[in-house]
Every structure is written in C-alpha cells, then in structure tokens.
Amino acid sequence: MIRHAPRAARAHKMAGAFLLARLDGFALRLARRERRLIGLSLMRLVIGFATILYCLADYSNRQFLWGPHAYDSPSTASAQIPGGGFSLYLFSDSQAWFEFLFHATILTSAAFMIYGGRALTVVQAVMMWSLHYRNQDLLEGGDNLAQILVIFLAFTCSNAYFAPGAKKRREKLLAQDRQPAISTVLHNLATYLIVFQTAVLYLAAGYWKIFGKVWQDGVAMYYISRETEFHMSATFAHVMSNAYLGTAMSYATIVIELAFPFALVSSRAWLRKANILALEAMHLGIAAFMGLVCFGLLMIGADSVCLRDEDYRSLWRRLQAGRLRVAANWPGEAGRIRTSPIRSSASRLPSTSLRKGAHDHV
Amino acid sequence: MILGVLPVLAFMAACLVYNAPQSPASVRLIGPARRVLEPYFWQDWQLFGPTPGTSNDLVYLQARIQYGGETVETAPVEVEEAIDRAPRGFRINPTKLPGIMLAFDQTSSHYASAATRIKKLPAAQRKAAQAALDKQYKADFEEMQRFFSARAHSLYPGARILAVQATFKTRPIVSFSERYESPHPKEKLKGLLQTSWMPYVPGVAQ
C-alpha cells in the first residue's frame, strides 16, 4: 500500500516520524541524566558565600541598615516592596526578632553553602529575599540575578559536588541503569532557565552598552575608575587613563558580553570556555578594582552554570597537564618526580588515563 | 513532559519581551510579559550596561540647632565623599554604605527632573502634579530625613537638633581629553536639589 501512496503523503509520514523521533530523543535527554552538576554546585557555594559576605560587610552597621530603628524604617521599607513581595524582617518591629533573623540568615547561608539540597535552597531563597527587601538601597544588580536564580536552583540537584556525601549522590545520579524521572526533568529545565536568564542578561547588558556614548567613545572605563564610590585603586585609574588600554577594555567588555549567548550555543567548546573565562576575569576585576565583591562573586556563580560538566573536566585536565609540565621543567620538582615511578609514568600516560584520574577529582 | 516545557517556553518568551528595547511590538506585549515575571522574576539589566556618570555626586548637610535660647544654622558639611570612600577601609569585603548615597542621588536627580517638567506645565495643573510627585517620593524623602538626622546626630553629638536640610550637588569628572592638563582643571560644582528643612527624627540607630 505504501508503495502506491502518493509521494507527498509518504514525505509527510516520514517527516512526522522524524519529528517524533527527535522529540523522543529530546525527552529522553531531559529525563535520563542531570546536567551541569558541577556548575550548579559552584553556584550554590557562591550564593551562600556571597550572602554571608553581604551580612558580614556591614555587621557592625546592621542596626542602622536593617534593624527596627534603621534609617530605612519598617514603614518606608514596606512601602517600597513591590506587590506580592515580602520580607520576614517586617513581620515584627522587635529587636529580638531582627537579631534572630539576621543571624539565622548567616547560619542558613553557611548551611546552604556546605550542604545544599532543595529544602535548604528554599530556606536560603526566603532569607535572601527577606534581607534584600528589608533595604533595597544596598542592592547591586547581582542581587537581582541571585534572587531569580535561587528560585530555579530550588528545582535542581545543587549538591552533587563539593558537599558532604556528594560522591555517593553522584554515583546514584550518574548510574547507567537509571530510569527517567520527573525530578531529572525539573532539574534540567531549571538549569536550562538559569543559563537562559544569564544569557539574556549579558545580551541586554551588551546592548545597552553599545548604545552608550562613553562606551562607543571607548572612555567608559576612564570615567568608571574615577567615580568616587568605585575608585578602589589609583593604579587602576591611572591605567584606564591610557588611551589604548582604556579603549581596549571598554570594547572588550562589550564584545565578550554580546558574544556570550552565541558562544553558549556554539559547538566549539573552546569558544564557550574562552568567553566564560574572560567574563570571570572581568568579574574578578570588578570585585578587586571597583569594590563590588558580592556582585562579582554572584556573577561568577551564574557564569559557572554556563559551562558543561565536560568543559570543567577538560579544563581540569589542562590544568593537571600544565602542572605536570611545569613540575617536569622545574629542576627540584623534576628530580623529585623522577624518583617517583608513578608520577613519572603518569606524565607519559596517554591522555585517556589522565582523563580518568581527572574525572575522579572533579 | 509538555506540562514541564510549556512554563519554560512561557518564561523564555516573557523574558525576551521584558528585556527587549522599546518598540511598537514590545509596547503591545509588555503587559502579558509583566504578568508572567513580576514580582518574583522582576529584572532590570540596564544596571549592567550603564552609561557611567561623568560626574561625582556630593551632599551638603545643614542642621538647625537650638543653642542658648536661639536657633542657629550650621555651615554646610559635605557628607557623601567620606561615605563613598568607606569601602577602601576594608577592601576584601567592603561596606555597602555608598549604595545608600547612590540611591539618594538617583532619587534627587529623578525628583529634580520631574519637578522641572512640572514647572513647564500650565499654572492650573502645576499644584496637582506637584502633590502627586511628592506623594510618589514620600517614602524616599522619609528615608532621607531619618538618614540625615542620624548623620547630624553623629556630627553634632549632644546638640539639640531641630531640623536638617540636604543639598545635592554634582562635580564633573575631569574630561578624558583634559586628563593630563597642567595645572589640573578645576571643575565647578553644580546644584541639583535642595530639600526643605526636615524635622529632626530622634532615635535612629547609629
């Protein structure tokens, strides 16, 4: 019968089968294995650590900034919260309630950073949102991103690495005979949204910059380095006065931000890794030279989810190989290495053997 | 599976519309996008692509003090620069106090430009427009009142402070083309906004 069917109907049927097969493949990929576990674990560490830093940066000023007698009184803070928003700090004007909540935020963040897990992520989200909405003057932009990403993080497995019991958890997650599960689908969709949101942010940031006059003129870094509140280093301000360096930094910032979403979907892994490493360097620079430490850290946390697990493994292998090369060329180390048969043979091993060792460490 | 993917697609579409630059299409679609994203996914990434300021902001604080049976006004004292420099005190985990001044500077700038626009309105509309503007910024000015009361208290400890007033000014950063000029160019201060005398609020935490 098929032989006699019109050509169009046959093509239609084939296209349908092809689409169904693709959809099946997509569904299986979503449901079978949790992805970006290393990046999510790094993000968990960073959000927890940055929240602790946020609280400790002004620990001695906490009454003035967030307390019941703060300059931003509970009534004005309530008036500034958007509809649907909340802050546990505004549930009571009592001093004891404030002290309890503030210290609970620090402890929760530490627990979240160390242990992770979905329940702790929800508690962390509530505590972080509450603190941010108690006084919005202190927010830096990275906090806005963290508020969104922590909601997505609650649907993911963010403690498969760098947490007590992570190895056991990982073995379970990466088992070959694992059945598709709803929790895996949720994990992958939430992870996808984290990456998507971060990409939208960089695209928007690059877009706004490219239309800014001082960015176009290549003098943006000069003016930023001279704003009193961001002027942390006279050397940095001096370097940014240089016409070539200042312009190069201004344009490089725009290029790496605009390239980010395209690098993410690129099949060339080196492009993705290079772009994200450049962004990490930029955020480290912002933390060191502009004094926006929490902002820089939160952005590094968000960027870290944009690298795949394979990217981390290949970066780790490169790092290990580099270390071995340096050790081999270092006179003292080389002598030491020559005395160790395992080490010296490891450096001569084919890359596959090294890969296995690296995988165990990551 | 579809139940899981649909909200993701909705979020993605809303997020793209929400962050898209203004256009005839985005203006029509922004309402539904807001309903999806606000309040929990509210976002403003313009902060990440700012046109850096080409001037530094300064705030001068004056206080009315009861002194020996009469009321005296103190000389204006610049208070912002010291706060803006505070992060250099501990670079590893700097204080976020400059964020307060940044918020106040933005408020004063927005308020001043809105007030200027109101002055250009027909006389009959001005009063109502000014009242609406004051209502919109009520919480912000209450914050300033409490903040400057606490600053005045630390500047004049033990004094009987009656009221405080803040004057917002800006000083342009030496332009890029003049950066190596000798003698170094002196940029002139420009007034932005002066608050009315705000009654002193006692008891704000220091």
Side-chain angles (χ1 to χ4, degrees):
Chain A
M1 289 300 283
I2 291 169
R3 250 187 305 169
H4 301 294
R7 194 177 288 174
R10 209 167 23 172
H12 192 254
K13 207 169 177 181
M14 276 172 71
F18 173 76
L19 272 177
L20 270 177
R22 291 297 294 254
L23 265 174
D24 272 357
F26 172 71
L28 265 179
R29 270 182 53 196
L30 268 184
R32 265 226 173 123
R33 198 166 70 83
E34 280 84 354
R35 289 165 196 280
R36 302 190 190 237
L37 291 168
I38 301 174
L40 286 165
S41 302
L42 284 172
M43 187 170 135
R44 180 201 89 230
L45 285 177
V46 165
I47 289 183
F49 186 58
T51 311
I52 296 172
L53 284 185
Y54 187 91
C55 293
L56 295 185
D58 286 292
Y59 187 80
S60 57
N61 295 324
R62 67 187 185 282
Q63 300 293 344
F64 180 65
L65 298 176
W66 302 287
H69 303 292
Y71 82 91
D72 188 9
S73 69
S75 62
T76 52
S78 302
Q80 288 162 339
I81 292 180
F86 69 92
S87 173
L88 295 179
Y89 288 84
L90 300 172
F91 285 11
S92 164
D93 286 353
S94 117
Q95 182 67 32
W97 175 245
F98 162 70
E99 293 289 0
F100 165 73
L101 268 184
F102 190 78
H103 291 94
T105 306
I106 298 174
L107 291 176
T108 305
S109 303
F112 169 70
M113 183 177 87
I114 297 166
Y115 299 104
R118 290 186 171 94
L120 264 175
T121 310
V122 173
V123 179
Q124 169 71 16
V126 171
M127 291 305 220
M128 202 175 80
W129 275 75
S130 295
L131 186 68
H132 289 175
Y133 272 165
R134 176 62 189 87
N135 187 342
Q136 297 182 59
D137 293 344
L138 308 174
L139 303 182
E140 292 170 339
D143 306 309
N144 188 181
L145 183 64
Q147 285 171 359
I148 295 170
L149 298 192
V150 80
I151 297 175
F152 296 139
L153 202 63
F155 294 96
T156 66
C157 173
S158 62
N159 54 358
Y161 287 87
F162 320 119
K167 199 173 176 189
K168 219 171 163 185
R169 213 168 290 127
R170 209 156 58 230
E171 276 166 7
K172 223 170 115 187
L173 289 173
L174 301 176
Q176 290 295 327
D177 55 348
R178 241 180 115 226
Q179 291 298 309
I182 293 287
S183 62
T184 311
V185 176
L186 285 177
H187 168 97
N188 287 328
L189 288 177
T191 308
Y192 173 74
L193 285 179
I194 290 174
V195 176
F196 176 78
Q197 180 64 80
T198 311
V200 168
L201 180 155
Y202 282 120
L203 191 64
Y207 173 85
W208 292 118
K209 281 193 181 87
I210 210 164
F211 286 105
K213 177 86 173 64
V214 283
W215 288 99
Q216 285 175 354
D217 292 350
V219 293
M221 296 307 296
Y222 166 80
Y223 284 106
I224 289 172
S225 66
R226 272 162 178 74
E227 293 265 357
T228 316
E229 61 265 40
F230 302 127
H231 179 96
M232 294 291 279
S233 156
T235 314
F236 179 65
H238 184 69
V239 169
M240 288 303 116
S241 296
N242 181 285
Y244 299 110
L245 282 172
T247 308
M249 283 285 282
S250 299
Y251 288 174
T253 306
I254 299 174
V255 168
I256 59 171
E257 286 189 344
L258 282 177
F260 183 79
F262 306 102
L264 276 187
V265 293
S266 164
S267 58
R268 291 178 172 84
W270 68 266
L271 193 64
R272 190 171 54 242
K273 284 183 273 189
N275 196 292
I276 291 174
L277 287 177
L279 278 170
E280 310 290 41
M282 180 180 93
H283 289 126
L284 283 175
I286 288 174
F289 299 120
M290 289 174 69
L292 299 172
V293 175
C294 289
F295 169 82
L297 278 177
L298 287 171
M299 292 313 297
I300 288 171
D303 298 343
S304 62
V305 185
C306 300
L307 281 176
R308 300 172 190 170
D309 288 352
E310 306 89 82
D311 296 333
Y312 282 105
R313 290 192 187 107
S314 85
L315 283 172
W316 179 255
R317 281 196 302 273
R318 275 177 185 277
L319 197 73
Q320 291 286 78
R323 221 178 65 180
L324 284 172
R325 261 201 307 275
V326 170
N329 294 333
W330 200 260
E333 284 288 308
R336 196 166 64 81
I337 282 170
R338 269 195 289 276
T339 58
S340 161
I342 301 166
R343 285 246 179 143
S344 57
S345 64
S347 61
R348 288 197 301 272
L349 278 174
S351 59
T352 45
S353 308
L354 194 61
R355 216 170 263 157
K356 188 174 181 299
H359 181 274
D360 292 343
H361 280 86
V362 173
Chain B
M1 180 68 67
I2 291 168
L3 282 178
V5 173
L6 276 181
V8 171
L9 293 176
F11 179 88
M12 285 168 65
C15 190
L16 287 173
V17 171
Y18 199 85
N19 289 293
Q22 273 211 343
S23 68
S26 72
V27 167
R28 283 166 175 79
L29 295 169
I30 194 75
R34 277 202 182 126
R35 276 195 288 282
V36 174
L37 294 186
E38 289 178 359
Y40 294 103
F41 298 104
W42 173 88
Q43 47 196 270
D44 181 8
W45 310 131
Q46 280 194 53
L47 280 170
F48 287 76
T51 298
T54 50
S55 58
N56 276 311
D57 298 303
L58 301 163
V59 177
Y60 289 85
L61 175 65
Q62 271 185 288
R64 271 189 188 150
I65 293 173
Q66 186 86 40
Y67 187 74
E70 56 181 308
T71 305
V72 292
E73 280 179 18
T74 64
V77 178
E78 206 289 309
V79 291
E80 174 158 354
E81 218 162 26
I83 295 172
D84 285 347
R85 286 175 196 275
R88 293 176 218 175
F90 187 55
R91 289 161 194 264
I92 295 168
N93 190 18
T95 172
K96 298 193 183 307
L97 285 173
I100 303 171
M101 302 315 293
L102 208 62
F104 286 173
D105 292 331
Q106 267 180 0
T107 302
S108 65
S109 165
H110 291 166
Y111 182 90
S113 52
T116 310
R117 280 199 301 275
I118 286 172
K119 279 180 191 157
K120 289 173 188 163
L121 288 175
Q125 293 173 17
R126 265 181 235 157
K127 205 174 171 187
Q130 186 63 47
L133 183 70
D134 289 343
K135 195 180 167 194
Q136 188 190 338
Y137 284 91
K138 189 171 176 276
D140 298 290
F141 281 106
E142 269 176 27
E143 231 182 80
M144 284 187 199
Q145 183 182 8
R146 290 175 65 85
F147 180 87
F148 291 119
S149 293
R151 287 305 291 170
H153 180 80
S154 63
L155 280 172
Y156 312 107
R160 208 172 147 221
I161 305 166
L162 303 173
V164 289
Q165 184 183 52
T167 307
F168 292 84
K169 294 185 177 183
T170 61
R171 183 170 46 212
I173 295 170
V174 173
S175 70
F176 185 79
S177 54
E178 292 176 315
R179 68 198 185 285
Y180 294 135
E181 258 185 33
S182 185
H184 207 58
K186 278 197 174 169
E187 300 292 346
K188 279 185 185 159
L189 281 174
K190 194 178 138 201
L192 193 63
L193 181 83
Q194 186 169 54
T195 67
S196 54
W197 282 97
M198 301 177 283
Y200 173 74
V201 182
V204 178
Q206 290 290 316

